[in-house]
C-alpha cells in the first residue's frame, strides 16, 4: 500500500508520466492510500492515464471533475474513472482520505481478444464518452459491489495468493460497472475530440511553462485556431488557456516549495512567474497564503507510510487546471 498526498506527484520530464515505485509489467496494478487536506492544497491536478482508476472514499468528501461535469462522492461511496479520461479532484470540508486501485484493464481480460475481453472489458473501456461511473450505498445492488471494493483495498499484499484474490474481487466489482452500461445515454462525440486536443495542448504548456507563451502558440500544438483553442478549454476544463497556464505555473511553484530549498525568487523564475512580488501576489490569491507560509505549513508534514514499497505501478499524466 502506497500512501501519498496531493503534493507528492513526481513526473518524468517530457512524457509527464507519474513516477511510481515497483512498476511491474507482469502485474500492472498499484494500490494507494491518498490523503487530501481541505482547501487548495487538497486539489489534485487535472490528469489522465491509460490505467483504470477505481476508488473508495474512507473519510470526508470530494468532487471528481471530468469534461462532462462533476460529481460529489461522500464517505462510503466509490467509483471508477475510465481509461485516458481527463479528471481532477477537490477535497471538501475537513480533508479527505480515499483508497484507490490503478490498474491496466488487461489485468482482468484474460486471453487477448478472448471472450472476457470482448464481452466485459472492451464495451466499458471503449464506450465513447464514458468518463466516470459511481457506486452508491443507497442504490440497490451497488452496496454489495462497494463491500467487495473495500475488501480488495484491504487485502494483505504480502500474503500468498494476493494477486489471485485481488483479480477475483476486481472482476466482481468490474461486473457491477458493466451492468450499468445499458442504462447510460450515449455521450456527445465532439467532447471526446476536444478532450484529445486539450491533452496535446496541456503537454505543451507543461513542458514550456517557464517560457512566454501566447494562445496562438498553444493552439498550434493541437493544429487548431485560437478560437478553437478557447472552445476546447471551455468545453473540457471550464477555463481559458491563459488561466490554465497560470495555474500550471502556480502548481509547479507549490511543488518546488515543498520538494526543494530553492529561494522564492528562483522558483518564480523557474516557473515563468516573473518577479518575486508578482509571484507572491498570484500565489496568495490562489492558495490563500504567501509562498513562505505555504512552505512552512506543508513541507514538514509527516505522511505515515509514504516511504513504503509497492510491488506494482501504473502510468499517470498529470497537470493542473
Amino acid at each position: 500500500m502506497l500512501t501519498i498526498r496531493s503534493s507528492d506527484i513526481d513526473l518524468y520530464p517530457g512524457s509527464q508520466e507519474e513516477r511510481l515505485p515497483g512498476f511491474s509489467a507482469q502485474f500492472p496494478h498499484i494500490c494507494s492510500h491518498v490523503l487530501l487536506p481541505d482547501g487548495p492544497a487538497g486539489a489534485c491536478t487535472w490528469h489522465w492515464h491509460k490505467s483504470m482508476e477505481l476508488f473508495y472514499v474512507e473519510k470526508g468528501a470530494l468532487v471528481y471533475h471530468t469534461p462532462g461535469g462533476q460529481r460529489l462522492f461522500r464517505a462510503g461511496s466509490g467509483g471508477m474513472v475510465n481509461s485516458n479520461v481527463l479528471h481532477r479532484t477537490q477535497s471538501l470540508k475537513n480533508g479527505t482520505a480515499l483508497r484507490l486501485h490503478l490498474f491496466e484493464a488487461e489485468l482482468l481480460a484474460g486471453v487477448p481478444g478472448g471472450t472476457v475481453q470482448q464481452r466485459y472489458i472492451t464495451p466499458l473501456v471503449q464506450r465513447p464518452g464514458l468518463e466516470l461511473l459511481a457506486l452508491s450505498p443507497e442504490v440497490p445492488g451497488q452496496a454489495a459491489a462497494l463491500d467487495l471494493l473495500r475488501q480488495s483495498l484491504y487485502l494483505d499484499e504480502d500474503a500468498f495468493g494476493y494477486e489471485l484474490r485481488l483479480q477475483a474481487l476486481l472482476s466482481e466489482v468490474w461486473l457491477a460497472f458493466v451492468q450499468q452500461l445499458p442504462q447510460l445515454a450515449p455521450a456527445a462525440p465532439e467532447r471526446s475530440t476536444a478532450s484529445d486536443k486539450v491533452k496535446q495542448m496541456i503537454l505543451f504548456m507543461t513542458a514550456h511553462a517557464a517560457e512566454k507563451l501566447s494562445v496562438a502558440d498553444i493552439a498550434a500544438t493541437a493544429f487548431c485556431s485560437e478560437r478553437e483553442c478557447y472552445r476546447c478549454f471551455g468545453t473540457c476544463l471550464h477555463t481559458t488557456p491563459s488561466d490554465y497556464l497560470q495555474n500550471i505555473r502556480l502548481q509547479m511553484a507549490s511543488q518546488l516549495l515543498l520538494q526543494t530549498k530553492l529561494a522564492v525568487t528562483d522558483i518564480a523564475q523557474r516557473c515563468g512567474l516573473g518577479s518575486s512580488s508578482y509571484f507572491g501576489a498570484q500565489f496568495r490569491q490562489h492558495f490563500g497564503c504567501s509562498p513562505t507560509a505555504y512552505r512552512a505549513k506543508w513541507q514538514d508534514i509527516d505522511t505515515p507510510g509514504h516511504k513504503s514499497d509497492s510491488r506494482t505501478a501504473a502510468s499517470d499524466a498529470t497537470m493542473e487546471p
Side-chain angles (χ1 to χ4, degrees):
M1 174 70 66
L2 181 70
T3 301
I4 62 176
R5 57 183 181 179
S6 55
S7 60
D8 289 332
I9 295 170
D10 185 22
L11 305 176
Y12 288 107
S15 69
Q16 297 306 117
E17 291 184 352
E18 184 179 353
R19 298 177 193 265
L20 291 172
F23 177 79
S24 171
Q26 286 72 39
F27 197 74
H29 163 270
I30 189 167
C31 186
S32 300
H33 186 209
V34 183
L35 306 174
L36 302 174
D38 58 350
C44 284
T45 58
W46 280 103
H47 62 285
W48 69 92
H49 36 71
K50 179 178 179 291
S51 304
M52 310 298 295
E53 180 172 325
L54 183 58
F55 61 91
Y56 176 77
V57 182
E58 287 184 312
K59 169 186 172 292
L62 78 163
V63 177
Y64 264 82
H65 297 262
T66 67
Q70 61 185 49
R71 182 155 187 164
L72 174 65
F73 291 87
R74 300 186 185 277
S77 65
M80 182 160 64
V81 182
N82 209 352
S83 175
N84 288 315
V85 169
L86 273 167
H87 61 285
R88 71 179 180 92
T89 59
Q90 174 64 60
S91 176
L92 303 179
K93 297 184 178 179
N94 298 318
T96 302
L98 67 154
R99 293 179 182 248
L100 60 84
H101 295 293
L102 286 172
F103 63 96
E104 304 295 329
E106 290 77 10
L107 186 70
L108 309 181
V111 178
T115 300
V116 172
Q117 186 175 56
Q118 292 183 36
R119 293 188 64 182
Y120 306 106
I121 306 300
T122 300
L124 192 156
V125 175
Q126 296 187 5
R127 184 183 177 101
L130 180 60
E131 298 173 341
L132 180 67
L133 287 168
L135 291 175
S136 171
E138 286 81 29
V139 177
Q142 293 185 11
L146 275 169
D147 185 57
L148 293 172
L149 175 55
R150 277 195 302 271
Q151 291 180 44
S152 71
L153 288 161
Y154 287 92
L155 287 175
D156 182 357
E157 295 184 30
D158 295 320
F160 181 74
Y162 166 75
E163 293 83 0
L164 284 175
R165 292 188 178 95
L166 178 66
Q167 281 183 306
L169 288 169
L170 289 181
S171 295
E172 289 292 336
V173 177
W174 186 282
L175 180 59
F177 287 117
V178 174
Q179 289 171 335
Q180 294 185 36
L181 296 182
Q183 288 77 44
L184 300 178
E190 60 268 18
R191 194 168 68 224
S192 178
T193 301
S195 179
D196 290 340
K197 291 180 179 179
V198 165
K199 290 175 184 177
Q200 294 179 51
M201 291 185 277
I202 284 175
L203 287 172
F204 173 76
M205 294 162 76
T206 304
H208 299 275
E211 305 169 20
K212 186 176 181 179
L213 298 178
S214 68
V215 175
D217 295 329
I218 296 167
T221 304
F223 305 99
C224 63
S225 66
E226 292 183 47
R227 181 177 179 180
E228 178 72 0
C229 175
Y230 277 106
R231 189 190 71 81
C232 288
F233 272 86
T235 297
C236 294
L237 307 186
H238 315 293
T239 188
T240 67
S242 299
D243 286 345
Y244 187 93
L245 177 60
Q246 185 72 341
N247 284 330
I248 285 178
R249 289 167 170 163
L250 289 168
Q251 178 65 20
M252 287 180 171
S254 71
Q255 291 177 339
L256 287 175
L257 284 167
L258 300 185
Q259 297 170 5
T260 74
K261 295 184 178 180
L262 289 170
V264 169
T265 302
D266 292 336
I267 291 175
Q269 294 292 327
R270 289 193 181 203
C271 298
L273 288 164
S275 67
S276 57
S277 60
Y278 175 79
F279 169 43
Q282 294 297 306
F283 194 93
R284 188 176 291 105
Q285 181 179 346
H286 185 80
F287 287 99
C289 63
S290 69
T292 303
Y294 183 90
R295 170 179 271 170
K297 181 177 181 180
W298 298 110
Q299 189 174 50
D300 297 324
I301 292 179
D302 286 333
T303 306
H306 177 59
K307 298 298 184 181
S308 62
D309 293 331
S310 174
R311 68 185 68 198
T312 52
S315 64
D316 196 3
T318 309
M319 330 298 166
E320 168 69 13

